[in-house]
């Protein structure tokens, strides 16, 4: 497995958020993390990317222990977190945002990756010298993902990538995620859009009050009566 | 009042203003990126004035040559100060950081007093007394050098911030520190580098000032109070704001000295300051609240 998490616990101050979380993501696999607001999805992402130190448990990435690694070491290893709410650098230009994405990569690879991203997102190429804050919501989400791709991720964590997008853009987004995985990048996707996400992912974990309440093949979970009732209301 | 007198006040004011701007740029950069108000800025200026004075009195090194040596040295000092003193002691709390920089400033000021005594010292280089004939007035050469060098250094700083990887990373940390971590930027390192750049620019300003100024343990206060005014008037954290406000304040001070007498010159600065804040509470280039 590319990412292996065992017995993870984390929280803020006296408040425990995650308890005994055990999960894994394989090479090139798309895995979904589902859960209501406050279930601990964002905390899980913050721990995996090194922004928050776990209280207990072990995280391995490509056989290497990264439980207490710094964010820069985790980025260098190829685990890239595209944060919720896009978190682009609004006052930098589009191109500067992309270049910052490859901050830990050498100049030649940076130039090559930039050309690849521009070919994939022609709209970002047209707006390369524009300030990122002036882009539309959909373009900002493309930029956030493009910035993540600049770092040559082996595993990309996508936090609510469809949030605030129009239905047509949501389609484009899910197509894009599918093609990224097709190219060999593993994806850990955290989403509110349960139906679309289970359709795309091969496996899924359901977080409830900081614990994994349900897990399994995405196709099986999509038919699970408890899950359907909790998240789809049917 | 004669044209020559007005012109010389204008030119002299611009020359002072460029140095104010350089001192203020360090301050505003540190505020913009680390979000801290560095009370030690004046003390670091004073320390650099002494360093430059020592190089001159012991080895005969001109302050202009000293600039090339002291700017990197003070970069290292600023880096170390932020990385291993202010950062760890502040623990991310604004009130702590404020008190730590104040503490650092008290320590530096009193060390200077203990080592050098309260006496005022000056350098005596032949360049300091030469002037340039502008036709209508004579301009002291050190002020011209200070003006040109301060503008060049400000321009260099602007290029560094806007045209390099380091500058992009510094601006990223200033605005979105979590997102900066997620692309692999070491935030503590960038904070220390920024503090180092701020300290290096204050050291450069000290070297440009020394030939036409003096040094004593409280020499920093005169400048840092004006520099704080420049930073707020330009808009906290704004680079072009600090540059423009520095020049404006230099000229205002010069003219108000002409009309009210040198000892009352600061009246003009604070009158202008109050006026700007009245109409633009966030400063000339500040983000609108």
């Amino acid at each position: 497995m590319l990412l292996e998490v065992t017995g993870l616990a984390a929280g803020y101050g006296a408040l425990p958020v995650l308890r005994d979380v055990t999960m894994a993501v394989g090479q090139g696999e798309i895995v979904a993390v589902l859960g209501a607001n406050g279930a601990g999805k964002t905390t899980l992402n913050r721990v995996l990317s090194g922004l928050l130190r776990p209280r207990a448990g072990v995280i391995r990435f490509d056989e290497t222990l990264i439980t207490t690694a710094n964010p820069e070491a985790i980025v260098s290893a190829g685990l890239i977190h595209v944060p919720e709410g896009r978190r682009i650098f609004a006052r930098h230009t589009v191109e500067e945002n992309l270049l910052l994405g490859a901050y830990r990569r050498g100049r030649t690879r940076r130039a090559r990756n930039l050309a690849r991203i521009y070919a994939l997102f022609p709209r970002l190429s047209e707006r390369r010298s524009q300030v990122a804050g002036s882009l539309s919501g959909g373009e900002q989400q493309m930029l956030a993902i493009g910035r993540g791709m600049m770092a040559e991720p082996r595993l990309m964590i996508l936090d609510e990538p469809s949030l605030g997008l129009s239905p047509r853009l949501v389609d484009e987004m899910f197509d894009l995620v599918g093609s990224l995985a097709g190219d060999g990048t593993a994806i850990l996707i955290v989403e509110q859009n349960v139906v679309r996400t289970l359709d795309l992912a091969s496996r899924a974990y359901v977080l409830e009050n900081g614990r994994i309440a349900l897990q399994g093949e995405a196709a099986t979970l999509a038919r699970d009566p408890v899950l359907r009732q909790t998240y789809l209301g049917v | 009042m004669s044209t020559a007198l007005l012109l010389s006040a204008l030119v002299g004011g611009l020359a002072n203003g460029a140095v104010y701007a350089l001192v203020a740029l360090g301050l505003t950069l540190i505020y913009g990126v680390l979000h801290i108000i560095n009370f030690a800025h004046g003390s670091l200026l004073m320390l650099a004035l002494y360093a430059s004075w020592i190089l001159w009195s012991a080895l005969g090194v001109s302050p202009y040559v000293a600039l090339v040596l002291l700017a990197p040295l003070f970069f290292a000092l600023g880096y170390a100060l932020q990385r291993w003193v202010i950062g760890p002691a502040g623990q991310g709390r604004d009130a702590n950081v404020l008190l730590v920089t104040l503490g650092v400033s008290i320590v530096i000021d009193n060390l200077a007093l203990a080592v050098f005594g309260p006496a005022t010292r000056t350098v005596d280089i032949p360049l300091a007394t030469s002037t340039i004939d502008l036709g209508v007035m004579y301009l002291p050469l050190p002020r011209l050098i200070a003006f040109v060098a301060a503008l060049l250094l400000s321009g260099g700083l602007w290029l560094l911030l806007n045209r390099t990887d380091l500058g992009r990373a510094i601006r990223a940390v200033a605005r979105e520190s979590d997102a900066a971590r997620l692309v692999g930027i070491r935030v503590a390192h960038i904070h220390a580098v920024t503090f180092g750049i701020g300290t290096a620019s204050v050291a450069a300003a000290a070297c440009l000032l020394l030939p036409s100024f003096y040094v004593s343990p409280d020499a920093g206060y005169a400048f840092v109070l004006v520099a704080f005014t420049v930073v707020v008037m330009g808009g906290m954290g704004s680079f072009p704001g600090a540059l423009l406000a520095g020049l404006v304040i230099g000229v205002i001070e010069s003219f108000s000295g002409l009309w009210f007498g040198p000892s009352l010159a600061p009246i003009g600065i604070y009158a202008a300051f109050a006026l700007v804040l009245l109409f633009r509470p966030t400063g000339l280039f500040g983000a609108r609240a």
Side-chain angles (χ1 to χ4, degrees):
Chain A
M1 283 290 172
L2 184 61
L3 177 73
E4 287 181 85
V5 178
T6 318
L8 191 71
Y12 304 94
L15 181 78
V17 179
L18 294 177
R19 275 164 282 195
D20 196 27
V21 171
T22 295
M23 60 183 298
V25 181
Q27 304 273 3
E29 193 182 18
I30 304 183
V31 173
V33 174
L34 308 173
N37 278 330
K41 294 172 297 181
T42 300
T43 304
L44 175 65
N45 289 342
R46 288 179 66 84
V47 172
L48 292 180
S49 53
L51 290 180
L52 182 68
R53 287 272 162 94
R55 296 204 171 142
V58 172
I59 308 170
R60 273 176 211 284
F61 185 66
D62 196 23
E63 320 268 285
T64 309
L65 210 59
I66 58 159
T67 315
T68 56
N70 297 320
E72 64 265 20
I74 293 174
V75 168
S76 297
L79 200 173
I80 307 299
H81 175 185
V82 177
E84 182 189 23
R86 306 186 185 112
R87 288 298 180 92
I88 51 157
F89 302 114
R91 296 221 185 162
H92 289 62
T93 65
V94 167
E95 183 148 312
E96 284 181 320
N97 267 273
L98 293 173
L99 291 173
L100 277 168
Y103 188 76
R104 297 250 141 231
R105 306 282 174 231
R107 281 185 176 275
T108 39
R109 277 157 81 181
R110 206 189 301 181
R112 197 186 56 202
N113 295 352
L114 192 63
R116 194 165 62 95
I117 303 294
Y118 280 151
L120 192 64
F121 303 109
R123 259 176 304 176
L124 293 185
S125 176
E126 288 161 23
R127 288 160 172 62
R128 61 176 78 186
S129 49
Q130 211 167 305
V131 173
S134 70
L135 298 182
S136 72
E139 288 163 348
Q140 289 190 12
Q141 186 61 64
M142 296 294 165
L143 179 59
I145 293 183
R147 188 181 67 191
M149 292 172 67
M150 286 292 291
E152 302 169 19
R154 302 177 60 207
L155 170 64
M156 199 178 210
I157 301 177
L158 295 172
D159 202 345
E160 308 277 7
S162 78
L163 198 70
L165 298 188
S166 70
R168 190 177 56 82
L169 284 176
V170 170
D171 287 344
E172 273 185 40
M173 179 62 54
F174 279 95
D175 287 348
L176 171 68
V177 174
S179 71
L180 280 178
D183 294 339
T185 309
I187 306 279
L188 184 66
I189 182 170
V190 174
E191 258 294 343
Q192 305 259 359
N193 192 334
V194 173
V195 179
R196 294 298 307 267
T197 308
L198 287 178
D199 195 34
L200 179 76
S202 61
R203 289 184 306 113
Y205 296 89
V206 180
L207 270 180
E208 245 176 60
N209 297 320
R211 294 172 196 275
I212 292 184
L214 216 56
Q215 60 178 298
E217 299 292 318
T220 319
L221 283 176
R223 290 192 304 271
D224 187 279
V226 180
L227 186 108
R228 289 178 68 86
Q229 204 188 353
T230 315
Y231 295 101
L232 307 176
V234 289
Chain B
M1 215 168 274
S2 75
T3 323
L5 206 56
L6 288 175
L7 199 65
S8 93
L10 176 69
V11 173
L14 282 174
N16 279 351
V19 179
Y20 288 155
L22 190 57
V23 175
L25 281 178
L27 206 55
T28 210
L29 184 66
I30 291 171
Y31 175 80
V33 178
L34 286 78
H35 311 293
I36 64 175
I37 293 165
N38 177 21
F39 278 126
H41 209 62
S43 306
L44 290 165
L45 176 74
M46 176 270 291
L47 202 61
L49 283 167
Y50 271 114
S52 184
W53 177 78
I54 289 170
L55 283 175
W56 172 78
S57 61
L59 304 167
V61 177
S62 152
Y64 300 118
V65 178
L67 190 154
V68 182
L69 303 170
L70 290 181
L73 192 71
F74 272 70
F75 172 85
L77 175 69
Y79 185 98
L81 208 54
Q82 164 61 26
R83 190 75 191 258
W84 293 296
V85 180
I86 298 172
Q91 298 189 334
R93 294 209 188 87
D94 287 354
N96 286 5
V97 173
L98 210 72
L99 289 175
V100 173
T101 63
L102 190 62
V104 166
S105 121
I106 292 171
V107 169
I108 296 176
D109 290 357
N110 285 287
L111 274 178
L113 197 58
V115 174
F116 301 106
T120 295
R121 296 161 204 272
T122 53
V123 297
D124 179 22
I125 56 172
L127 241 165
T129 47
S130 15
T131 53
I132 292 179
D133 188 354
L134 291 183
V136 287
M137 59 173 288
Y138 290 99
L139 179 66
L141 192 57
R143 326 254 335 240
L144 179 68
I145 295 175
F147 177 73
V148 172
L151 285 189
L152 284 177
L153 287 168
S154 307
L157 216 48
W158 189 89
L159 284 178
L160 174 77
L161 283 175
N162 288 286
R163 294 281 180 272
T164 67
D165 287 350
L166 177 64
R168 272 196 283 275
I170 288 175
R171 287 182 291 124
V173 168
R175 296 267 157 201
E176 283 280 355
S177 131
D178 266 1
R181 282 189 172 88
L182 291 178
V183 297
I185 295 171
R186 287 151 61 210
V187 170
H189 169 72
I190 293 293
H191 277 171
V193 166
T194 306
F195 205 97
I197 294 173
T199 309
S201 31
V202 95
C207 295
L208 296 175
L209 277 172
L210 192 58
S212 51
F213 198 59
Y214 62 89
V215 54
S216 68
D218 57 3
Y221 294 126
F223 279 89
V224 86
L225 197 59
V226 175
F228 272 120
T229 312
V230 167
V231 166
V232 177
M233 189 167 161
M236 302 281 284
S238 163
F239 192 101
L243 195 56
L244 180 69
L247 292 173
V248 166
I249 277 184
V251 171
I252 287 174
E253 181 190 41
S254 180
F255 277 108
S256 103
L258 203 59
W259 272 299
F260 305 125
S263 58
L264 288 180
I267 285 183
I269 296 182
Y270 297 103
F273 181 56
L275 272 179
V276 167
L277 290 196
L278 213 53
F279 291 103
R280 287 191 62 97
T282 54
L284 295 171
F285 283 71
R288 282 169 192 84

